[in-house]
Amino acid sequence: MTTTTASPTRRDVLPWSALLALGTAVFITSLTETLPAGVLPQMSSSIGVSSGAAGQTVTVYATGTALTAIPLAAATAGVRRKPLLLGAMTVFLVANTLTAAAPGYAVLLVSRFLAGVAAGLAWAVLAGYARRIAPAGQEGRAIAIAMTGIPLALSLGVPAGTLIGQQIGWRASFAAVSVITLAVLAWIMVSVPAVNRPTAPAEEPKPTALQTLRVPGVTATLVVVVTFVLGHTILYAYIAPYLRHAGLATAVDAILLTFGIACLVSIWYTGRHIDRHPRGLALTAATLFTVGTAALATTTAQAAVWVAAVAWGLGWGGTPTLLQTAAGHAGMRRSPAVADTAQAILVTLWNAAMALGGIIGGILLQRVDITADAVAAAGLGVLSLAVIALARKHAFAPTEQDAP
């Protein structure tokens, strides 16, 4: 196991400041990944490319994360965690600042890929970091707190970034992220305790990805990660063109804020019930997501779009925390090392799904129409719901100590 060098945090009380610092790092990296969705028209006009091409800035970011999360995590296994996290966030700061100043499309893609690489390394560190600085018995809750940054990025960050982009310009949105990143770097340096990763020969060998996938419940959970995130990204990455198609081009920020408020409600409810009712939460989330996206696929009536955004937000908001926790719980039935590997695979698959979602969504937008994105999202929602329902024995099950 990894031990902390700051023992005062290993008490019964959660180290809130440290966990919130980690959660804000998650928030920033997640926000930057999806921020182009809210400012896509401005980006495409400024750079001189189509909306589909501008949407690939989401794809290349996610590709950078997906390709490097596991290799970089393995290559840096013996590196002290705090300097590694600070280094990753510093590279992220530089890359995101380059995005804000990019003079053309090629530089924009390169900067987004580099930011994705830095985020991939940070993501591979963050979940395990949160678990290691938590008091014994509260590791799952600590991970949930840190990972709340993912849905918060969508619920608060993207609407705020969209508003900034509309009022000042899309570059100002990314510049604002860089300013926040500077503050987070200082917060991590002050509040997050240093942790070491021992390399003693007696340490349990790290399980391979194949060994981890053989653990009951892990594969089913990861399949849901792919289908749910893919469906969400196919539509969310191109939500601005969809809303323009629906006659709501001037309400993009307001609808994203409504979506975000629904996400916050979902985060709160999921946090209260995740230990005892993960399966019920997963089934409800997939159902709400499917209903919301199906509504968007079948009608562009403005009232229906607003209601669909609420259903989508309620279904999506708690999903990142739910999936992270489900993967960790499934892996922990075998060992902490398996749980760590499951989390690393989840990061890779999550971002691979986001990258693929950006590609598929762009193709559907250009070759069919924007409603095809909503149809594909709803179909993947149905598939997610089916996997959750069929994998009832091992996946999304409550922990033994909380089971009724």
Side-chain angles (χ1 to χ4, degrees):
M1 289 183 61
T2 299
T3 58
T4 65
T5 59
S7 59
T9 63
R10 300 295 298 186
R11 297 181 292 187
D12 292 337
V13 178
L14 284 167
W16 280 97
S17 182
L19 290 174
L20 290 174
L22 297 179
T24 308
V26 172
F27 170 84
I28 292 170
T29 52
S30 300
L31 166 61
T32 305
E33 184 165 26
T34 54
L35 183 55
V39 295
L40 208 59
Q42 295 92 333
M43 288 184 71
S44 62
S45 176
S46 172
I47 299 297
V49 297
S50 67
S51 293
Q56 300 316 304
T57 58
V58 175
T59 300
V60 296
Y61 185 106
T63 300
T65 300
L67 291 177
T68 60
I70 292 178
L72 285 179
T76 59
V79 179
R80 297 178 65 184
R81 302 289 93 184
K82 187 169 182 177
L84 181 62
L85 177 58
L86 289 170
M89 293 303 296
T90 299
V91 173
F92 173 82
L93 169 63
V94 172
N96 186 72
T97 303
L98 181 58
T99 296
Y105 189 57
V107 174
L108 180 64
L109 291 180
V110 171
S111 66
R112 291 285 293 172
F113 182 85
L114 180 60
V117 171
L121 179 56
W123 271 42
V125 171
L126 284 163
Y129 212 135
R131 182 167 58 246
R132 287 171 173 83
I133 65 175
Q138 299 193 58
E139 293 88 351
R141 188 181 178 198
I143 293 173
I145 292 169
M147 291 301 110
T148 299
I150 300 173
L152 284 178
L154 294 178
S155 60
L156 297 178
V158 173
T162 301
L163 181 60
I164 293 173
Q166 291 177 339
Q167 299 299 319
I168 305 177
W170 68 270
R171 296 181 188 276
S173 299
F174 287 94
V177 172
S178 292
V179 172
I180 298 172
T181 305
L182 279 172
V184 172
L185 281 166
W187 192 0
I188 291 172
M189 285 190 283
V190 171
S191 297
V192 177
V195 296
N196 298 319
R197 183 180 287 272
T199 56
E203 183 180 342
E204 177 187 356
K206 190 173 181 66
T208 66
L210 184 58
Q211 291 170 332
T212 300
L213 292 174
R214 289 173 177 166
V215 174
V218 171
T219 297
T221 302
L222 295 176
V223 169
V224 176
V225 168
V226 173
T227 55
F228 215 135
V229 175
L230 181 60
H232 170 80
T233 307
I234 283 175
L235 184 56
Y236 191 85
Y238 300 95
I239 192 63
Y242 177 89
L243 293 176
R244 181 189 299 168
H245 170 72
L248 290 164
T250 60
V252 174
D253 56 342
I255 290 177
L256 287 178
L257 180 60
T258 301
F259 171 86
I261 292 171
C263 283
L264 289 175
V265 173
S266 179
I267 293 166
W268 169 79
Y269 190 84
T270 299
R272 286 181 60 88
H273 300 283
I274 191 168
D275 286 330
R276 294 189 61 85
H277 305 293
R279 178 174 304 285
L281 289 171
L283 290 169
T284 302
T287 299
L288 287 168
F289 173 82
T290 302
V291 169
T293 52
L296 295 175
T298 54
T299 180
T300 56
Q302 294 188 1
V305 171
W306 284 92
V307 174
V310 172
W312 183 1
L314 291 174
W316 173 256
T319 296
T321 297
L322 177 64
L323 293 174
Q324 287 271 358
T325 304
H329 281 176
M332 282 297 292
R333 294 194 188 100
R334 184 65 55 86
S335 72
V338 171
D340 281 350
T341 304
Q343 295 286 357
I345 297 173
L346 184 147
V347 170
T348 296
L349 292 178
W350 186 290
N351 287 278
M354 291 198 72
L356 187 59
I359 294 172
I360 294 175
I363 292 173
L364 291 175
L365 172 63
Q366 292 183 336
R367 298 190 178 181
V368 188
D369 57 44
I370 189 59
T371 58
D373 288 40
V375 172
L380 287 161
V382 172
L383 184 56
S384 300
L385 187 59
V387 174
I388 296 167
L390 292 173
R392 62 173 57 91
K393 186 174 181 181
H394 297 292
F396 301 98
T399 55
E400 291 182 2
Q401 63 269 30
D402 293 324

